[in-house]
Amino acid sequence: MGPSFLLELANAVNAERHGFPNAVRPRDWQPRISLGLEHHLDIASDARITFSDRISATRPQGDAAGFDEVFQNDLREAYLTFQSSGDQVIQAGRVNVRNGVALGFSPTDYFRTGSALVQTSADPASVRAGRLGAVLFSYQRFWKGGALSVIAAPKLDDRPSFGARSSGLDPRFDFTNATNRFLVTYSPALGPLAPQASLLVRGEKLELGLSLSLPLGTAVVTYAEWSGGKRPNLVAQAMTDATAFGALGAEAQNKFLNDAVIGASWSHASAKLTINAEYQFHQGGLGRRAWRHYFDLAEVGTPSALDIVSRIGAVANFEQDPLSRRQMFAMITRQDAGINDLTLSALGTVNLYDGSVGGQISANYARSPQWNAGLYLSFTEGARKSQYGGLPVPVSAAVSIVRYF
Amino acid sequence: MPEQSIMASSRRRLLATLASLPLALAVDARAQTTPDPQAILAAADKIRVPQTPFRMQVTLTDYFANKQQGQVTLSVLSKIDAATREFKTLVKYMAPARDLGKVVLFNGTSLWFFDPSSKATVRISPQQRLIGQAANGDIVTTNLSVDYQAAMSGTETIKGADKADRDCWHLELKPASTAAIYGRIELWVERSTSRPIKGKFYAQSGKLLKIAYYNKYQSALGADRPTEVILIDALDAKAATIMSSTAYATQSLPDTWFQRDYLSQVR
């Protein structure tokens, strides 16, 4: 089969929340045109090359409009697969590896760091779709009783500095391969629970992980995921100058931290409805006291204070971790919602400390196999001193038109 | 009692016994000619799906008010688990382009979905929809005789999808395992050929969900099989999905393929 292409035209319009004169907010409108390519080439009966790339043109942030300011190439995957027999697979190159069973936040999805690309939809599946892979070597062994996977991902560059932006043809190995990582995953066939156990060595630190899932009847699937290890929390990762961080700096920790998710999905066949709900716990995120110090710092309003506030958000975004220690995520999707081929979705994340909500409502119309049109309305709601209410953009709208070839 | 009366009484009892004998024999004969409903269901399973490891192409075409709405082409790989007699099935999307490479796995105990764009393997329920009226549980191959207990409702002449009259066994199926996705099924199986002709599928609540017609029987892998299944929405008869099966072929399918971690390698 030949390569597949997609062409996406997207534009986002952002409103402004008043009372944030110093806040850094996205530009009021952000057009983007992207061309994606994916190809699997069988070079032998037991070998295949996979290539996935996307090049986008966006409105420059500043006045400069050179190639690097306008274009960004995302080399998502480029790897060789060698399958010597039906039960052993070797892969080498840039590979998007995705572990875990949860939808919104997946603690055992260890290669999510630095992988996020600009996407129109906030649907977690879309966020992970076409993300940057990590350069790695992978060996998988399958047998009737389960599967074992061993992955080695070397450090290729130092982690990018805060605020660094990529552009042009930069492959961003500093984003995806800034640390040596070694991951072993074991998935035994143990009946309906389908466990998956993980052992990650990241630099010199060890993490353990476990995921389970269990269907209940024909309509419900439940799941749980956990990861734990000694690592710096969000504040510790973001902190450069303890003095500047003030009281928030005292929240920095480097100890055994846990991440956990418990969730379920429910489907109704004749209504073509699926509802997902998750409780997400990220011990390295901001707890109640840390949030208080965070907003105290934001209230200071000086450039250095706002820089710290931005840095914490940037670290969470880079790590693909929740900002808050506790939150709830929910998503509802209805196919053929009143009109055939129209899918309506609504998703939201609630900060359980301040009750603020960030979410997105979307409508996707797939009238033909080649075309898809999407309308997305993102919103943030909450008190001024809350995670989502404190963001400078209360509402943004985006439209996306995709053509598949 | 006088001796003649005793003899008369005995003769009457003998005559009554002799008179009832043909009826008794007829009842016995009927009991012997009415086959076991579970055996009828098993025979229908063997007609519906090959019992040896196989591959086929399935095209799902969605219609509303007789107008085509959408179409998905799938490659289906399936084999029976020798221990459980359940089918293990791999379904790979071949078309349209937006769905290319997606894979659904049913390995007897669970249903998994792999999305090649996000590389996510998620567990899904049989009730989640693929397209149109076909839920995941309709696409994966199943042995109804393993998942359901059959009881005989009687015989009935019904019209098949081709409008021809079919003399059928009318079976009532109730779930016999946790793998059963429907609360109840009515199945009409042609008496002379064991071909399934029509099915009605009910939710756990008892609500009728869909009606299926098995149609276009053609020779494939050693038997005449229904190469077309018409699924009609019981709530809105204008909505229908046609499942067309083609390109049957035997295929060696290692057990190692039927697990969640292998889905990204399915070709």
Side-chain angles (χ1 to χ4, degrees):
Chain A
M1 188 165 288
S4 59
F5 299 90
L6 70 86
L7 178 68
E8 182 180 11
L9 301 173
N11 196 4
V13 178
N14 302 307
E16 179 182 356
R17 180 174 267 130
H18 296 290
F20 293 84
N22 300 317
V24 175
R25 65 176 178 84
R27 306 196 73 171
D28 49 6
W29 63 281
Q30 295 176 286
R32 172 172 60 86
I33 178 168
S34 297
L35 178 64
L37 161 69
E38 181 161 334
H39 190 37
H40 304 276
L41 180 64
D42 291 327
I43 57 175
S45 60
D46 53 5
R48 167 183 274 200
I49 290 176
T50 296
F51 181 79
S52 176
D53 191 85
R54 184 182 80 168
I55 186 162
S56 302
T58 57
R59 183 183 174 202
Q61 292 292 319
D63 295 329
F67 181 88
D68 283 0
E69 284 74 30
V70 174
F71 291 97
Q72 176 161 314
N73 188 70
D74 304 317
L75 177 60
R76 298 182 290 208
E77 291 190 298
Y79 65 92
L80 172 68
T81 301
F82 179 64
Q83 191 161 356
S84 63
S85 60
D87 57 2
Q88 295 183 82
V89 177
I90 294 171
Q91 292 179 325
R94 184 167 228 177
V95 187
N96 179 11
V97 174
R98 160 82 163 98
N99 287 332
V101 293
L103 179 62
F105 170 51
S106 195
T108 64
D109 185 18
Y110 294 115
F111 287 94
R112 65 185 186 274
T113 303
S115 66
L117 298 177
V118 171
Q119 301 285 357
T120 310
S121 170
D123 180 344
S126 294
V127 169
R128 295 190 186 100
R131 69 184 188 184
L132 283 180
V135 177
L136 54 86
F137 174 87
S138 159
Y139 170 79
Q140 288 179 287
R141 177 89 160 85
F142 304 95
W143 64 97
K144 195 175 176 185
L148 180 75
S149 164
V150 178
I151 295 176
K155 175 180 174 179
L156 298 179
D157 204 341
D158 292 326
R159 185 166 164 143
S161 56
F162 164 67
R165 292 181 184 279
S166 65
S167 58
L169 300 176
D170 179 10
R172 277 170 283 168
F173 295 138
D174 52 345
F175 280 60
T176 60
N177 287 80
T179 313
N180 287 317
R181 283 171 295 185
F182 184 78
L183 174 67
V184 178
T185 305
Y186 174 49
S187 307
L190 289 178
L193 271 182
Q196 185 175 72
S198 308
L199 186 150
L200 173 74
V201 178
R202 189 189 342 233
E204 296 171 352
K205 298 190 187 322
L206 182 70
E207 274 190 58
L208 300 174
L210 179 67
S211 69
L212 301 168
S213 61
L214 181 69
L216 299 176
T218 62
V220 176
V221 174
T222 60
Y223 52 87
E225 201 171 319
W226 166 84
S227 180
K230 186 180 175 189
R231 57 180 185 266
N233 68 0
L234 178 58
V235 174
Q237 289 186 67
M239 198 163 67
T240 51
D241 178 359
T243 307
F245 271 64
L248 185 58
E251 298 294 324
Q253 291 175 326
N254 193 341
K255 64 174 192 178
F256 193 98
L257 299 173
N258 294 282
D259 288 339
V261 171
I262 297 174
S265 72
W266 173 84
S267 297
H268 192 285
S270 49
K272 300 183 189 180
L273 189 67
T274 299
I275 298 175
N276 293 274
E278 283 182 6
Y279 169 75
Q280 301 169 349
F281 176 72
H282 174 52
Q283 192 171 9
L286 302 181
R288 190 178 302 280
R289 189 174 58 207
W291 274 114
R292 202 164 55 243
H293 296 322
Y294 175 91
F295 285 111
D296 288 344
L297 205 57
E299 282 277 279
V300 170
T302 60
S304 60
L306 293 175
D307 178 71
I308 293 166
V309 166
S310 297
R311 181 187 296 272
I312 288 175
V315 169
N317 189 52
F318 183 85
E319 294 290 337
Q320 293 285 285
D321 283 340
L323 196 56
S324 186
R325 186 170 294 171
R326 298 176 202 274
Q327 55 188 34
M328 283 288 301
F329 169 82
M331 181 168 171
I332 179 167
T333 302
R334 176 123 194 260
Q335 295 168 306
D336 296 336
I339 302 173
N340 284 335
D341 303 311
L342 176 67
T343 299
L344 297 181
S345 291
L347 59 88
T349 302
V350 180
N351 181 316
L352 292 177
Y353 294 105
D354 57 36
S356 64
V357 181
Q360 187 179 74
I361 300 168
S362 66
N364 271 279
Y365 188 52
R367 183 60 188 90
S368 82
Q370 286 79 34
W371 290 95
N372 191 87
L375 183 63
Y376 306 87
L377 189 70
S378 301
F379 61 91
T380 58
E381 182 60 43
R384 194 162 177 279
K385 279 192 178 184
S386 67
Q387 177 181 353
Y388 293 104
L391 292 175
V393 177
V395 174
S396 70
V399 63
S400 165
I401 297 174
V402 180
R403 173 75 159 91
Y404 298 91
F405 298 86
Chain B
M1 179 181 274
E3 191 173 84
Q4 287 116 329
S5 296
I6 292 172
M7 287 180 65
S9 174
S10 297
R11 264 202 305 278
R12 279 198 294 275
R13 278 201 296 274
L14 177 60
L15 283 170
T17 303
L18 287 172
S20 67
L21 201 55
L23 182 63
L25 283 173
V27 168
D28 282 341
R30 239 194 335 269
Q32 287 169 5
T33 58
T34 302
D36 171 26
Q38 204 68 23
I40 296 172
L41 185 58
D45 280 341
K46 288 181 179 163
I47 297 282
R48 248 181 350 100
V49 287
Q51 303 291 297
T52 53
F54 70 96
R55 170 195 287 267
M56 66 179 175
Q57 183 164 293
V58 174
T59 302
L60 301 175
T61 309
D62 195 22
Y63 291 89
F64 189 81
N66 292 323
K67 287 187 183 169
Q68 183 172 328
Q69 303 296 310
Q71 191 174 75
V72 172
T73 302
L74 311 169
S75 176
V76 177
L77 307 173
S78 198
K79 66 181 287 187
I80 290 180
D81 184 318
T84 63
R85 302 299 303 164
E86 295 271 13
F87 272 95
K88 294 191 283 195
T89 306
L90 278 169
V91 178
K92 184 168 181 180
Y93 287 70
M94 308 304 290
R98 75 159 70 88
D99 296 321
L100 182 64
K102 292 178 181 174
V103 182
V104 174
L105 163 68
F106 178 65
N107 62 7
T109 58
S110 51
L111 210 54
W112 295 90
F113 172 69
F114 171 75
D115 184 348
S117 60
S118 65
K119 294 294 183 74
T121 301
V122 295
R123 203 156 186 181
I124 55 177
S125 69
Q127 291 219 19
Q128 270 181 273
R129 292 281 174 154
L130 279 178
I131 176 175
Q133 303 312 307
N136 294 319
D138 295 319
I139 307 305
V140 297
T141 316
T142 54
N143 262 336
L144 296 177
S145 56
V146 173
D147 296 337
Y148 296 88
Q149 182 64 42
M152 182 66 72
S153 289
T155 60
E156 201 174 324
T157 299
I158 63 166
K159 289 199 184 298
D162 56 1
K163 307 299 180 194
D165 286 339
R166 305 284 177 185
D167 181 25
C168 295
W169 300 112
H170 180 188
L171 301 181
E172 180 81 23
L173 310 186
K174 294 282 169 63
S177 79
T178 53
I181 65 167
Y182 296 105
R184 175 181 160 230
I185 299 175
E186 290 183 80
L187 190 67
W188 287 261
V189 178
E190 192 169 39
R191 292 177 64 179
S192 58
T193 61
S194 295
R195 293 179 177 182
I197 301 298
K198 178 181 171 182
K200 282 186 172 180
F201 300 83
Y202 297 80
Q204 303 285 346
S205 62
K207 187 167 86 169
L208 178 62
L209 293 175
K210 66 186 82 169
I211 302 167
Y213 287 92
Y214 302 89
N215 196 30
K216 293 190 179 175
Y217 277 81
Q218 293 177 16
S219 178
L221 294 182
D224 285 347
R225 307 191 188 280
T227 60
E228 183 179 274
V229 180
I230 303 168
L231 298 171
I232 300 169
D233 186 348
L235 298 177
D236 185 350
K238 289 185 201 166
T241 298
I242 296 182
M243 290 172 49
S244 302
S245 305
T246 58
Y248 284 83
T250 55
Q251 166 133 7
S252 171
L253 300 174
D255 286 332
T256 51
W257 289 13
F258 296 90
Q259 56 181 297
R260 59 182 290 190
D261 285 19
Y262 192 82
L263 297 190
S264 60
Q265 311 301 331
V266 174
R267 295 198 183 184

